[in-house]
Amino acid sequence: MLNCEVGMGKTFDIGLERLMGGSEFSIGSAINTIHRGRLKNEGSATFAGARAAASELDAIRGASRGTFFLETFGCQMNDHDSEKVAGVLLSRGYTQVESPESASLILYNTCSIREKAAQKVFSRLGEFGLTQNEGRIIGVLGCVAQQEGEEIFKRAPWVSLVCGSASYSKLPGLLAQVEAGNHRVTGLDTETDETFETEITRRDNPWRAYLTIIEGCDKACSYCVVPYTRGPERSRASDSILREVRQLAELGYSEVQLLGQTVNSYRDPTPRKMRFAELLLAVADAVGIRRVRFTTSHPSDFTQDIVDAIDSQPKLCNHVHLPAQSGSTRVLRAMQRTYSREEYLEKIQIIRGAKRAISITTDIIVGFPGEKDEDLAETLSLLDAVKYDNMFSFKYSPRPHTPSLAMSDLISEEEKSRRLALLQEKQREIQTARHLTMVGETFELLVSGKSRRENQWSGHTSCHRVINFSSQEQALLGKYVHVRVTGATPNSLVGEQAL
Ligand code: SAM
Ligand code: SF4
């Protein structure tokens, strides 16, 4: 159960930092193959190893242009955007460093989904005020860049680059302007039909690769700044997606996660016109791919054929993230969510009708303007009705450029906190009971973490549960093992390797 006051919970649970991989064309593939080869030989990857790999990349590409530090806030899509931005910079001859102090170029990839997240970037910019930024180029990317635009130059005159995600395909040209000494470079156009595809992607996770298949959002939820900051929906061509998946599989990635704000609204722009469910099956067909995930699904676009695909292909993970936002039709209408409580529950029925059990997780917002006690009671009863496997819960945060900003009947922060606590208590009960039923069951895990404690590891099930487990085996990272659950807490499971 996650209280996401800053951003969507990251699914990385690896203690291993930034490793590289993924590419569209030959030189990138060669470089990435070198890195993956090293990882496989070492068995347990280290940060030093990744750094050595980065210098190797520099050596291959020739003289370094400078160093960059890139900090990312927010959701998985931002994480993956940063992987691509890092790829753009590496291919221009920059070297990545791990502290802003040692960087000549500092970039913040920002999130503005809630106010707290947006504030963070201004405190970071404050840290690099006029006195400390000498000789450095500072850039703001992502949602805050789009939301605040040129205002950022006024608040932080030491910033030289402001670029929203819809303009990332123009990033090389914008960087060239900054490198030429221009101090007010902007990429703020959202009227685009382009997607951000890079020649090199510097992937942070050596086993699971993220792949954005649809950018922007055409929905208009009244609380949400995303349509404003990320622009209109644009889907990536299916052949380009499948080509990248095959390359990733060749490089040793066994799990891919397809990303989009509304991933299941995917519309193939090619004459092939692949449906989302067909794309899932085609991705799973790539030789070497063992797991395919996708997030976030919008309830209105969730169709039976997605469940049929999961039923027919075990490589499609048995997990669906289906944000409800509220259990009250009245509040859903005010949120402009395009479905009622009953329609949402019909989608849940489709998922529950699957031949194999599919875990369901959700996002809930409490304290939306005008939310009454009876609305909250309906949300609590939705939790009881669905019995979610996990929940991301948020207090409503008013955002600029959103319709809900003009709504009256605001709920106080204190009351929002009270409602959030009630919601989380309910979910805690549900998760505790659910986890207890899993004791004694055996799951296949992709091992993605090694504890400092001897013989302790962790990994994800197909249904996206984390299990911490013990094993006497060595070098398990990146491998698939079977684990028997021996104990449970509300938030995680513990187990031992089943031999
Ligand atoms: N596209 C996804 C969907 O339709 O559910 C959600 C993407 S959004 C980046 C992630 C979550 O942030 C949302 O599901 C919502 O619960 C939460 N969120 C978005 N705007 C919010 C706001 N103004 N206040 C609080 N939470 C918000
Ligand atoms: Fe925001 Fe709604 Fe689009 Fe999700 S579907 S990104 S919540 S506007």
Side-chain angles (χ1 to χ4, degrees):
M1 179 174 42
L2 297 143
N3 169 18
C4 295
E5 282 302 287
V6 174
M8 264 192 57
K10 308 221 163 145
T11 52
F12 289 174
D13 64 345
I14 49 172
L16 311 168
E17 290 86 341
R18 306 172 183 270
L19 301 160
M20 305 167 102
S23 145
E24 279 277 341
F25 77 151
S26 56
I27 183 167
S29 302
I31 291 160
N32 291 317
T33 307
I34 292 168
H35 299 150
R36 297 294 297 156
R38 174 183 293 118
L39 288 174
K40 276 184 180 158
N41 294 339
E42 283 179 356
S44 113
T46 62
F47 191 24
R51 230 184 249 133
S55 338
E56 203 169 314
L57 181 66
D58 291 337
I60 292 168
R61 295 203 175 283
S64 172
R65 195 187 284 262
T67 51
F68 75 95
F69 169 78
L70 173 56
E71 185 173 0
T72 309
F73 302 85
C75 63
Q76 287 157 334
M77 291 201 69
N78 264 12
D79 282 332
H80 184 44
D81 282 345
S82 284
E83 292 180 332
K84 291 193 275 187
V85 167
V88 169
L89 290 163
L90 291 166
S91 64
R92 291 182 72 74
Y94 283 90
T95 307
Q96 187 157 13
V97 291
E98 294 304 312
S99 75
E101 291 76 17
S102 45
S104 57
L105 170 64
I106 300 172
L107 294 175
Y108 296 108
N109 186 4
T110 60
C111 169
S112 64
I113 199 83
R114 281 166 294 280
E115 196 183 355
K116 264 193 194 165
Q119 277 166 357
K120 267 201 173 178
V121 69
F122 285 106
S123 87
R124 284 290 193 285
L125 289 176
E127 288 163 21
F128 272 84
L130 278 174
T131 50
Q132 291 183 58
N133 75 330
E134 272 172 24
R136 290 194 175 91
I137 297 171
I138 299 184
V140 180
L141 311 178
C143 293
V144 175
Q146 194 67 51
Q147 181 187 298
E148 302 293 323
E150 300 198 4
E151 259 318 288
I152 293 178
F153 296 133
K154 290 194 198 142
R155 281 181 76 171
W158 46 92
V159 169
S160 306
L161 171 68
V162 172
C163 177
S165 66
S167 299
Y168 282 163
S169 53
K170 303 194 183 81
L171 203 53
L174 299 176
L175 283 167
Q177 288 182 45
V178 175
E179 287 158 4
N182 194 332
H183 291 300
R184 291 283 180 272
V185 178
T186 54
L188 295 170
D189 190 10
T190 52
E191 289 310 310
T192 177
D193 54 6
E194 285 181 10
T195 51
F196 180 37
E197 297 186 32
T198 51
E199 292 170 343
I200 295 183
T201 299
R202 183 204 190 283
R203 293 184 194 279
D204 286 345
N205 184 317
W207 308 290
R208 172 191 292 178
Y210 288 133
L211 233 93
T212 299
I213 64 162
I214 173 168
E215 295 176 18
C217 180
D218 277 355
K219 304 276 190 283
C221 304
S222 61
Y223 52 82
C224 184
V225 76
V226 167
Y228 180 83
T229 56
R230 287 192 172 263
E233 216 172 83
R234 351 193 253 276
S235 292
R236 192 176 157 188
S238 56
D239 45 3
S240 161
I241 295 170
L242 294 172
R243 194 165 53 245
E244 188 170 353
V245 169
R246 284 191 292 272
Q247 284 170 343
L248 288 166
E250 277 166 23
L251 292 167
Y253 290 91
S254 63
E255 183 173 313
V256 289
Q257 178 157 359
L258 307 182
L259 297 178
Q261 292 296 340
T262 54
V263 72
N264 56 330
S265 313
Y266 178 78
R267 298 276 175 277
D268 185 4
T270 72
R272 213 169 162 188
K273 299 243 171 294
M274 255 191 172
R275 288 177 59 80
F276 176 64
E278 286 173 317
L279 180 72
L280 289 177
L281 290 170
V283 170
D285 263 350
V287 176
I289 294 300
R290 287 184 63 161
R291 284 183 174 181
V292 181
R293 300 185 183 280
F294 55 92
T295 197
T296 293
S297 294
H298 192 284
S300 297
D301 296 331
F302 197 87
T303 44
Q304 177 71 49
D305 58 349
I306 300 173
V307 171
D308 294 343
I310 295 175
D311 265 341
S312 71
Q313 172 51 279
K315 288 186 195 176
L316 298 182
C317 289
N318 53 341
H319 168 223
V320 173
H321 184 62
L322 200 69
Q325 312 299 359
S326 170
S328 150
T329 297
R330 207 183 63 83
V331 172
L332 288 170
R333 294 268 180 265
M335 288 177 164
Q336 295 172 193
R337 271 303 275 185
T338 68
Y339 53 84
S340 63
R341 174 194 173 97
E342 288 65 35
E343 284 160 342
Y344 180 84
L345 283 170
E346 281 166 19
K347 305 292 176 167
I348 296 294
Q349 275 321 105
I350 294 179
I351 301 172
R352 292 286 182 234
K355 293 193 195 91
R356 61 179 168 136
I358 295 177
S359 75
I360 307 176
T361 54
T362 199
D363 294 350
I364 301 280
I365 298 175
V366 292
F368 189 75
E371 185 189 61
K372 308 254 179 289
D373 278 345
E374 40 287 22
D375 298 312
L376 181 70
E378 290 209 58
T379 300
L380 294 172
S381 82
L382 183 77
L383 264 50
D384 269 332
V386 180
K387 300 256 185 292
Y388 290 109
D389 293 84
N390 207 338
M391 173 187 76
F392 294 77
S393 49
F394 310 97
K395 289 192 268 183
Y396 167 71
S397 169
R399 305 310 300 130
H401 315 288
T402 60
S404 65
L405 204 57
M407 291 181 184
S408 53
D409 204 1
L410 300 183
I411 313 290
S412 71
E413 280 307 306
E414 201 185 358
E415 178 57 16
K416 283 186 214 170
S417 301
R418 187 188 74 82
R419 295 181 189 187
L420 191 68
L422 281 175
L423 186 79
Q424 291 180 345
E425 184 47 40
K426 166 70 74 187
Q427 180 61 19
R428 173 180 287 271
E429 284 164 18
I430 292 168
Q431 271 180 226
T432 308
R434 177 80 186 100
H435 280 182
L436 283 174
T437 66
M438 292 177 149
V439 174
E441 276 186 60
T442 298
F443 292 91
E444 186 190 62
L445 297 195
L446 167 56
V447 185
S448 53
K450 183 177 184 341
S451 160
R452 283 198 196 90
R453 285 190 298 140
E454 192 70 6
N455 302 327
Q456 291 297 315
W457 306 83
S458 66
H460 278 100
T461 62
S462 167
C463 61
H464 215 232
R465 282 202 163 74
V466 175
I467 306 186
N468 300 307
F469 68 99
S470 57
S471 167
Q472 300 305 316
E473 280 190 38
Q474 301 299 309
L476 285 183
L477 287 172
K479 292 193 178 154
Y480 288 81
V481 299
H482 282 90
V483 169
R484 199 175 65 83
V485 177
T486 54
T489 69
N491 287 322
S492 70
L493 297 168
V494 291
E496 56 194 19
Q497 188 176 1
L499 295 172

